């Protein structure tokens, strides 16, 4: 997607803007508790990490984790993956 292309080219600001637009669209279309919204939040967190915005990154990951735990259950591999990412922060 466009955000990935921007990120790979080193254009983090453009990637962040594209991900924010995608997040808004998904939240409106699917609802704020949908697992796809959590995926967008995680991707946005990765961009924040690249930009050195650690506080924002952690907040986004925590929100993604809460969504995934509720939607998928505490033992789902994607939930476990996010817990590991947060533990490293």
């Amino acid at each position: 997607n466009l955000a990935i292309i921007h990120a790979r080219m080193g254009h983090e600001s453009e990637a962040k803007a594209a991900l924010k637009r995608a997040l808004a669209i998904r939240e409106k279309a699917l609802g704020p508790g949908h697992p796809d919204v959590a995926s967008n939040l995680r991707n946005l967190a990765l961009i924040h990490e690249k930009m050195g915005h650690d506080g924002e990154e952690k907040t986004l990951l925590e929100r993604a984790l809460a969504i995934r735990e509720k939607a998928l259950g505490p033992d789902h591999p994607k939930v476990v993956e996010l817990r590991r990412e947060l533990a490293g922060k």
Side-chain angles (χ1 to χ4, degrees):
N1 71 33
L2 186 59
I4 291 171
I5 292 168
H6 282 304
R8 287 185 179 159
M9 293 177 64
H11 303 153
E12 287 87 6
S13 293
E14 290 88 348
K16 179 180 165 184
L19 283 168
K20 284 183 141 186
R21 284 191 303 275
L23 176 61
I25 292 167
R26 279 196 170 165
E27 284 180 318
K28 186 174 181 177
L30 304 173
H34 195 279
D36 287 350
V37 170
S39 295
N40 264 96
L41 290 166
R42 182 179 174 272
N43 291 338
L44 190 54
L46 294 173
I47 293 297
H48 278 279
E49 179 183 38
K50 273 187 102 170
M51 296 175 79
H53 303 159
D54 295 335
E56 293 174 64
E57 173 198 5
K58 186 175 180 188
T59 300
L60 292 165
L61 288 174
E62 287 170 345
R63 186 172 161 212
L65 177 60
I67 292 168
R68 283 185 176 173
E69 282 180 330
K70 186 173 181 181
L72 304 173
D75 298 323
H76 191 280
K78 289 188 175 191
V79 172
V80 173
E81 174 188 36
L82 272 179
R83 277 199 205 111
R84 285 187 185 136
E85 285 182 44
L86 274 166
K89 302 299 167 203

